[in-house]
């Protein structure tokens, strides 16, 4: 092998190494920036503005990192320590590395933005099963469901008017969304002023997430109580019903696809939530879930009794749950 081949191989290796370092630093820095922006700034921005801003930001970050790599890491640190006499890293090589990295950044931003938007559309953990066709045929699963409905929604809507009421609901759901990842929950549906939360059975019962989630939402609302009072004159309060059982999961729709759950478990959960006002309680759960989760050591649990829920043939044993 000629010396020219060695030089070419060293040049390619150095180019690859620099691109790898640049990509790693870009991924770390841009990932942290994007996480902060998504949670603090982008929440109320349109998708088009977000994508344009991210494109500009990624270009700026690329320029800064490339400058750091070339003029700080390479020329100030690596060059004095390593014999680079056989490695040809001239102006053309730097241009090649820079354009290659910009191309890589462009396509990676498109892919990452697509994945993020799909996760927002279907919820975390749903995109991969959809791509793999897991739910093309009905699958039976055991899950925990919670139906959360805004308390006194009719009177709040009358006081605020429909535009401001919609903003109130939007902000309430945003606060609930902030809590969702901490408790490994999945948002199944938004229905008017109601939100349906779901867990795989193991996730919902782990650390009593399906119960702790509700009180964490209450804490989030209380933390922002002054902001709600100043803007809307009231603080959101949700009533909720929670239950567990078997459901059938299946992919539905062609023009608009989604994963739907069917079964008596959802109907029972919805009916449990619907009787919260009747008993003056904010969180009701089936005795089946209480016994299965063994939550009595951590929460105050009281029996409501066996109730004839609407549409149910058999009586359902209901329990109220409160923080100690």
């Amino acid at each position: 092998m000629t010396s020219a081949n060695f030089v070419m191989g060293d040049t390619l290796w150095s180019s690859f190494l620099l691109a790898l370092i640049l990509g790693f630093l870009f991924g770390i820095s841009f990932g942290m920036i994007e996480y902060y922006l998504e949670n603090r700034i982008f929440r109320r921005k349109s998708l088009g503005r977000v994508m344009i801003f991210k494109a500009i930001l990624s270009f700026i970050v690329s320029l800064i990192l490339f400058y750091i790599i070339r003029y700080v890491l390479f020329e100030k640190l690596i060059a004095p320590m390593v014999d680079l006499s056989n490695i040809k890293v001239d102006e053309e090589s730097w241009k090649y590395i820079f354009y290659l990295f910009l191309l890589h950044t462009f396509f990676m931003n498109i892919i990452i933005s697509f994945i993020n938007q799909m996760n927002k559309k279907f919820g975390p953990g749903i995109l991969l099963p959809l791509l793999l066709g897991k739910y093309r045929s009905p699958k039976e699963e055991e899950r925990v469901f919670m139906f959360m409905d805004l308390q006194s929604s009719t009177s709040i809507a009358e006081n605020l008017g429909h535009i401001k009421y919609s903003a109130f609901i939007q902000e309430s759901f945003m606060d609930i969304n902030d809590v969702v990842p901490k408790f490994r929950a999945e948002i199944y549906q938004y229905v008017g002023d109601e939100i349906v939360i779901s867990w795989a059975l193991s996730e919902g019962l782990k650390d009593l997430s399906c119960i702790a989630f509700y009180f964490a939402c209450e804490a989030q609302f209380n933390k922002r109580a002054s902001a709600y009072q100043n803007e809307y004159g009231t603080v959101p309060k949700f009533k909720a019903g929670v239950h567990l059982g078997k459901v059938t999961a299946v992919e539905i729709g062609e023009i608009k696809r989604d994963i739907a759950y069917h079964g008596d478990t959802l109907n029972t959960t919805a009916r449990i939530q619907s009787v919260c006002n009747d008993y003056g309680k904010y969180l009701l759960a089936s005795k089946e879930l209480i016994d299965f989760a063994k939550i009595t050591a951590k929460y105050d649990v009281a029996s409501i009794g066996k109730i004839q829920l609407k549409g149910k043939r058999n009586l359902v044993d209901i329990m109220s749950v409160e923080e100690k």
Side-chain angles (χ1 to χ4, degrees):
M1 185 177 294
T2 64
S3 59
N5 289 333
F6 278 114
V7 172
M8 183 178 293
D10 288 340
T11 302
L12 290 174
W13 171 248
S14 63
S15 300
F16 172 77
L17 183 61
L18 288 170
L20 187 65
I21 295 172
L22 192 58
F24 176 77
L25 291 176
F26 177 84
I28 294 295
S29 58
F30 191 73
M32 294 176 65
I33 293 170
E34 183 172 359
Y35 178 81
Y36 176 83
L37 293 176
E38 283 283 354
N39 288 279
R40 300 297 180 88
I41 299 177
F42 288 163
R43 295 180 71 188
R44 293 183 177 273
K45 303 298 182 183
S46 67
L47 177 59
R49 289 184 179 181
V50 170
M51 292 184 70
I52 292 172
F53 186 86
K54 284 183 178 180
I56 296 172
L57 181 63
S58 64
F59 181 74
I60 294 172
V61 172
S62 298
L63 290 177
I64 294 172
L65 289 177
F66 191 81
Y67 178 87
I68 292 173
I69 288 289
R70 178 175 179 179
Y71 295 105
V72 179
L73 291 182
F74 188 80
E75 295 191 0
K76 302 294 184 182
L77 297 177
I78 298 176
M81 298 172 57
V82 181
D83 182 13
L84 300 175
S85 58
N86 291 327
I87 301 178
K88 184 182 179 182
V89 188
D90 55 15
E91 193 66 28
E92 287 300 318
S93 297
W94 282 114
K95 286 183 179 179
Y96 170 77
I97 295 171
F98 179 67
Y99 291 138
L100 184 64
F101 181 70
L102 282 185
L103 189 64
H104 168 268
T105 300
F106 175 75
F107 284 106
M108 286 306 298
N109 275 334
I110 291 177
I111 294 171
I112 292 171
S113 295
F114 171 76
I115 293 174
N116 284 339
Q117 293 306 314
M118 289 301 99
N119 275 333
K120 287 182 178 181
K121 169 64 178 73
F122 298 109
I126 302 299
L127 179 59
L128 185 59
L130 277 175
L131 292 176
L132 297 177
K134 179 180 178 181
Y135 297 109
R136 293 297 278 178
S137 298
K139 305 288 183 184
E140 188 176 72
E141 298 180 353
E142 283 195 289
R143 301 188 69 86
V144 179
F145 283 90
M146 174 179 285
F147 281 65
M148 297 178 65
D149 189 51
L150 182 66
Q151 179 79 4
S152 304
S153 57
T154 302
S155 60
I156 294 174
E158 289 176 349
N159 292 333
L160 295 178
H162 66 280
I163 298 295
K164 201 162 188 178
Y165 177 71
S166 293
F168 177 71
I169 292 296
Q170 181 189 46
E171 194 160 342
S172 301
F173 285 171
M174 281 184 176
D175 280 330
I176 293 175
N177 273 254
D178 285 343
V179 178
V180 163
K182 302 173 187 176
F183 294 89
R184 301 174 293 276
E186 300 172 14
I187 297 175
Y188 173 45
Q189 283 181 339
Y190 299 101
V191 184
D193 51 23
E194 181 180 72
I195 183 170
V196 183
I197 309 295
S198 177
W199 292 264
L201 188 62
S202 58
E203 296 289 354
L205 298 182
K206 185 178 180 181
D207 301 324
L208 303 179
S209 292
C210 62
I211 301 297
F213 170 80
Y214 174 82
F215 295 109
C217 290
E218 291 294 296
Q220 176 74 359
F221 294 139
N222 292 334
K223 185 172 71 173
R224 300 193 60 247
S226 59
Y228 276 108
Q229 286 287 359
N230 292 336
E231 183 67 24
Y232 306 105
T234 187
V235 179
K237 181 75 176 180
F238 281 77
K239 53 190 177 181
V242 59
H243 181 48
L244 57 77
K246 291 183 178 180
V247 294
T248 302
V250 64
E251 185 179 327
I252 59 171
E254 190 61 37
I255 296 175
K256 182 183 183 299
R257 291 192 178 184
D258 209 343
I259 293 177
Y261 295 104
H262 304 123
D264 184 63
T265 299
L266 282 93
N267 297 329
T268 301
T269 310
R271 299 307 183 192
I272 290 173
Q273 183 271 124
S274 69
V275 298
C276 284
N277 286 344
D278 297 343
Y279 298 96
K281 301 295 182 181
Y282 289 108
L283 178 59
L284 295 178
S286 64
K287 188 174 184 299
E288 183 180 355
L289 182 140
I290 299 295
D291 291 342
F292 202 88
K294 300 178 181 178
I295 71 172
T296 52
K298 194 171 181 179
Y299 297 94
D300 283 330
V301 178
S303 176
I304 300 296
K306 292 186 176 182
I307 309 300
Q308 182 69 60
L309 298 175
K310 184 178 179 180
K312 297 288 295 180
R313 186 177 305 172
N314 300 321
L315 299 177
V316 179
D317 211 341
I318 306 297
M319 313 284 284
S320 67
V321 183
E322 297 178 358
E323 283 188 301
K324 286 189 175 180

